Structures are given as C-alpha cells and as structure tokens.
Amino acid sequence: MRIGELAGRAGVTTKAVRYYEALGLLAPTRLANGYRDYDEHDVRLTREIGALGRLGIPAEGTRPFLECLALGHQHADDCPAALAGYRDAIDELTRRIEGLTARRTLLVAHLNEAAHRNSRFPPHTGDEEPMTDYTTLPADLPVPEDDGAADHLRGARMPDLRLRATDGATVGLGELGAGRTVLYVYPLTGRPGTDLPDGWDSIPGARGCTAETCGFRDHHQDLLAAGAARVYGLSSQESDYQREVTERLRLPFQMLSDPGHSLAQALHLPTFTAGGLTLYKRLTLIIENDVIEHVFYPIFPPDEHADQVVAWLGAHAPQG
C-alpha cells in the first residue's frame, strides 16, 4: 500500500510516517518504480507508535515495543524491555510533576507575599497550608436556582440600621445619601490558611465571594461612571476579618459587618447554614433614595457579576 493509505488507516499524518522511517522504526520495501510499499505489519507498527505516543512515550522510545512485536509476541509490551520502557516514561513524568509542583509552590509563595504587601496582616508561613487562590473558581460549581426568596424586595425601603464599616465608621442603611448605592451581599470570603466550611463548593451559590469582590474592585471606576454613587459589600463576618480582606485585596470601597443578621431580619433576606454558621445568600441591591430599585438574585457566575451590574446601571440611567 502507498504511504497515504497507511497514514489514513493508522490515524497519523504522512509526515509522521516519514519521521518514523527516518528513525528506523519502519522499513518498507521498495517497488521497481522506487515507491515505498507498506504492508499490514507496517500498519500495526504505526498504530502502536501512535498509541504509545498518546501515553507520553516519544517515537524514539517505542523501539523496545516494536522489537517485541518483531519477535512474534502478540502484545508490544510482552517483553521485559518494553516494561522497562514503561518505567522510563513513568520516571520522566514523575520528574516533570515534581518540577511543576516546585514551580507552583514558588508561585504560591510569590502570590502570598504580594497579596499581603502593604497590609498589616503578615503572610502565612511555616507549617500552615499554602495560600488558596479563591479568585479562581472551579468549572463544575452548582448553579443556584431562583427560589423566589428575593421577590418581595423591589420597592422596599431600607431599614434604619447602622452597621460598622471596615474603616471604623458606622454606615446608616436608611440614610445612604443621594444617588444610587450598590450593596452586594455575600456569604463569606476565604482567608489564606483558613479552611472554608466542609462541602462549601457543593452548596449552590456559596463559592465565589473573593472572586466576586475582586470583580467589584476591578470595575469600581466603571460602576461609578455608570451612575453608582457608592459601593459596599456586606456579610455576617466580623469587621476585623473583613478588614484583612479589604487590605489584602486592596479594595477601593468599604465592607459592612452584620454578624447579627439584622438586615436579614429587617428585610427577610435569604440565608443558609454551613459549618454551623448562618450565612447570607448572595444577592445585590441597587438602592436609590433609600428604596430598593433593583435586585440581582440569584447570582451566577459570581466572578462575572460586577459586569452585570455595570451593564444594568448603564441601561437604566436615572430619569431627569
């Protein structure tokens, strides 16, 4: 058979076939006219080289396997030399994994140092777990469903509550001031070296608070340009915990602490329980003249939510 037919049947390119020949792995006969002539054995060899290549064994490393077939064995890995080839490939993968692991550890250390630079909270060192990158979300997070728990909020007046902000001031939710306020409510943010509640990633809508917060940080100027007068984050975490997040992530806005869930009680906001903690479900309120004008709920994916808020503000400019 001609080289094109061999390549097609073996699932490789003609260029690959010529490369295998150059390595001496294939030795087709020559016809009188000078053309190469391949047979079924060449098809078998070419397929074997391709299969081993998909395992990470380079073409030049397949020679012991092909020689095993040449000796008449049914399988290319029936010979001791072929088993040694497997071991060599495994050892090479191990070296590469160790190298990548060392590189990852170094990157994590740089991330930890940079994240705490100019913060009064020192980076975690010693035997503690390395910094977890909570800004990157797993691809298989469960999507929260709209359970109707926020349907009653639009048009509601903000309660006369005063909450502590991360700058030490007290913010009155019933007197936020002129213009629109973006108040995003979230369950909790993770801190380096601190575990999240068990099963956190499996709770719809739980994971993603740090990623969401980074989104509001990165789009803060966009939010102001689109008509927001101010932005706040709010959770049931204590102010000291929130202050570490504010400094580590370099947030240009303040977080509000509501450990007693007073806003949830006043507005009947949805909550859930995880790790023995009662936490806010993720939602965002657009407030104007102390009245809730719009509600985002449920929110997914959280790392794209700030873009959604910017788009809504831009499409709903105040009248007059």
Side-chain angles (χ1 to χ4, degrees):
M1 71 185 76
R2 301 283 292 275
I3 188 171
E5 182 181 352
L6 168 66
R9 290 182 57 186
V12 300
T13 64
T14 56
K15 183 178 180 180
V17 174
R18 293 192 180 96
Y19 175 61
Y20 300 158
E21 287 184 34
L23 293 175
L25 303 177
L26 298 178
T29 59
R30 291 279 184 171
L31 299 176
N33 59 8
Y35 287 123
R36 296 175 179 85
D37 185 30
Y38 302 91
D39 57 20
E40 294 299 326
H41 183 63
D42 293 317
V43 175
R44 173 72 189 278
L45 295 179
T46 305
R47 286 174 174 168
E48 193 68 39
I49 296 170
L52 292 169
R54 288 189 289 274
L55 292 176
I57 299 176
E60 56 269 24
T62 65
R63 198 177 304 277
F65 298 87
L66 305 186
E67 291 174 350
C68 193
L69 290 176
L71 292 173
H73 291 280
Q74 182 179 0
H75 302 288
D77 53 8
D78 281 342
C79 303
L83 300 182
Y86 280 146
R87 295 189 186 97
D88 289 343
I90 292 170
D91 289 343
E92 175 61 22
L93 281 175
T94 300
R95 285 191 292 270
R96 291 169 62 183
I97 290 170
E98 290 174 349
L100 289 172
T101 300
R103 190 184 306 173
R104 182 185 184 280
T105 300
L106 186 60
L107 283 169
V108 168
H110 279 279
L111 172 62
N112 197 7
E113 180 183 356
H116 288 84
R117 190 176 296 130
N118 302 321
S119 171
R120 66 187 181 88
F121 296 90
H124 295 266
T125 57
D127 297 330
E128 298 174 346
E129 289 294 318
M131 180 176 179
T132 301
D133 181 12
Y134 292 127
T135 64
T136 302
L137 301 182
D140 57 350
L141 286 178
V143 180
E145 297 182 358
D146 189 352
D147 56 6
D151 290 351
H152 63 287
L153 292 174
R154 185 176 179 183
R157 181 167 292 277
M158 290 297 291
D160 186 18
L161 296 174
R162 304 189 71 81
L163 299 179
R164 186 181 178 189
T166 44
D167 63 356
T170 300
V171 175
L173 298 185
E175 48 188 41
L176 291 169
R180 282 173 166 161
T181 298
V182 175
L183 177 65
Y184 74 94
V185 181
Y186 62 93
L188 61 81
T189 50
R191 176 188 288 181
T194 303
D195 291 334
L196 293 171
D198 290 340
W200 188 249
D201 287 5
S202 65
I203 303 173
R207 176 72 183 268
C209 300
T210 301
E212 180 186 29
T213 295
C214 288
F216 278 106
R217 174 199 64 192
D218 297 342
H219 290 284
H220 186 247
Q221 290 302 318
D222 298 328
L223 291 161
L224 299 182
R230 62 198 66 84
V231 177
Y232 292 112
L234 183 149
S235 75
S236 56
Q237 293 171 293
E238 297 288 347
S239 282
D240 285 345
Y241 195 107
Q242 292 179 330
R243 191 172 298 112
E244 187 276 336
V245 174
T246 301
E247 295 187 6
R248 171 164 48 88
L249 300 182
R250 300 174 185 152
L251 302 183
F253 52 83
Q254 301 302 316
M255 297 284 207
L256 305 180
S257 175
D258 186 16
H261 307 94
S262 55
L263 185 61
Q265 298 171 25
L267 291 178
H268 305 289
L269 298 184
T271 61
F272 68 101
T273 301
L277 302 173
T278 298
L279 304 167
Y280 279 106
K281 286 190 175 183
R282 190 184 315 280
L283 60 82
T284 295
L285 306 177
I286 307 297
I287 304 162
E288 185 171 23
N289 297 325
D290 302 326
V291 173
I292 299 173
E293 179 184 9
H294 185 74
V295 182
F296 291 91
Y297 178 87
I299 292 169
F300 194 86
D303 56 343
E304 299 178 8
H305 178 51
D307 292 283
Q308 299 168 349
V309 177
V310 170
W312 188 91
L313 290 171
H316 298 80
Q319 301 297 316

